[in-house]
Amino acid sequence: MFLVIIFIFVMGLVWGSFLNVVIFRMSHGSSPLSGRSICPKCKHQLAWFYNIPLLSFLWLRGRCAYCHKKISIRYPLIEALTGVMFVWWFLVGFNFFKLVGSPWSFIQPVFWLAVGMVMLSIFMTDLLYMVIPFSLNLLLFSLALFYRVGLTGFGIMQTGDLVRALLAGAGLCLVFVILQMITKAIKKVDGFGLGDIYLAPSLGLLLGWPKILPGVFFSFVLGAIVGVVLILFGKKKMGQYLPFGPFLIAGTVFALV
């Protein structure tokens, strides 16, 4: 079992390395598949042995092998976090879905693992670059929709639950649009970015009704707490933009778990 867990963790590190590429390139308007990795500072193409997840960072002591500038700590952190997520998925999530009949005992854990990676990508792109790429939102919505429709078709999920989940997502989207209009009219700023609004339907499908209520409530509470703390420590000023996508993702995970 120990060797299996190590293998799962290593697979997570590999996927985490790919997510780093997705996060950086998609937030800068390029494809994750557009060529080999380069140093974002000196633009030098990286040799394969400088791209070994986690190990290369430790070997290079956190500096680029070519320009010797510091490598952001976010790269090994995302790799390690993805590795931990894979292990948690294997030990907890995969065993949980064994309770469901075949083939969904395999489809469901794979689905939630894919959703976890997409949500992590959305979390980090908004946190680091204050943008949620439309393609990531579209991917998350497509996964959630096909999954819920599949569950309904196999009788695992009731049609009424699917309808309520769709309405929950549409309702949350409408709430965000209204709040954006109000803040723009009063403060002349957008209360929500388009990425947050496009994210809402996916969260409705993932959480359904009434789980979306505690999920969104936790998102607003956590966002308010973090905002106040940042203001008190002088990191933000009143009226400055704070990415809300990470809080929506955190609230969704809270409601799911």
Side-chain angles (χ1 to χ4, degrees), residues 126 130 132 172-198 219-220 223-224 239-248:
D126 202 19
M130 293 191 179
I132 302 178
L172 180 60
C173 186
L174 180 60
V175 169
F176 285 174
V177 170
I178 292 173
L179 289 175
Q180 184 193 45
M181 294 171 62
I182 293 173
T183 54
K184 197 166 187 177
I186 297 175
K187 298 184 177 181
K188 308 301 180 183
V189 295
D190 290 331
F192 290 90
L194 285 177
D196 300 327
I197 295 173
Y198 292 148
S219 302
F220 276 96
Q240 276 190 308
Y241 181 74
L242 186 68
F244 193 55
F247 301 114
L248 287 172

Side-chain angles (χ1 to χ4, degrees), residues 57-74:
F57 181 87
L58 297 175
W59 177 31
L60 295 170
R61 298 182 180 180
R63 293 186 178 274
C64 173
Y66 303 100
C67 65
H68 304 294
K69 292 183 179 178
K70 285 187 177 180
I71 302 171
S72 174
I73 192 66
R74 76 170 177 87

Side-chain angles (χ1 to χ4, degrees), residues 94 97-112 146-156:
F94 198 88
F97 286 113
K98 285 181 180 178
L99 301 175
V100 185
S102 182
W104 290 94
S105 59
F106 175 77
I107 295 174
Q108 285 189 280
V110 171
F111 164 79
W112 285 109
F146 283 121
Y147 175 68
R148 293 304 187 191
V149 169
L151 288 178
T152 304
F154 276 80
I156 300 174

Side-chain angles (χ1 to χ4, degrees), residues 212-235:
I212 196 169
L213 294 179
V216 174
F217 177 76
F218 181 82
S219 302
F220 276 96
V221 171
L222 182 60
I225 292 173
V226 172
V228 169
V229 171
L230 290 175
I231 290 172
L232 290 177
F233 281 89
K235 300 296 183 180

Side-chain angles (χ1 to χ4, degrees), residues 41-89:
K41 294 176 181 177
C42 67
K43 310 302 180 185
H44 196 290
Q45 190 176 83
L46 303 179
W48 68 267
F49 44 82
Y50 294 139
N51 270 325
I52 301 174
L54 206 56
L55 294 180
S56 290
F57 181 87
L58 297 175
W59 177 31
L60 295 170
R61 298 182 180 180
R63 293 186 178 274
C64 173
Y66 303 100
C67 65
H68 304 294
K69 292 183 179 178
K70 285 187 177 180
I71 302 171
S72 174
I73 192 66
R74 76 170 177 87
Y75 291 103
L77 284 178
I78 291 174
E79 291 168 353
L81 182 60
T82 309
V84 171
M85 182 174 70
F86 268 59
V87 172
W88 180 89
W89 163 81

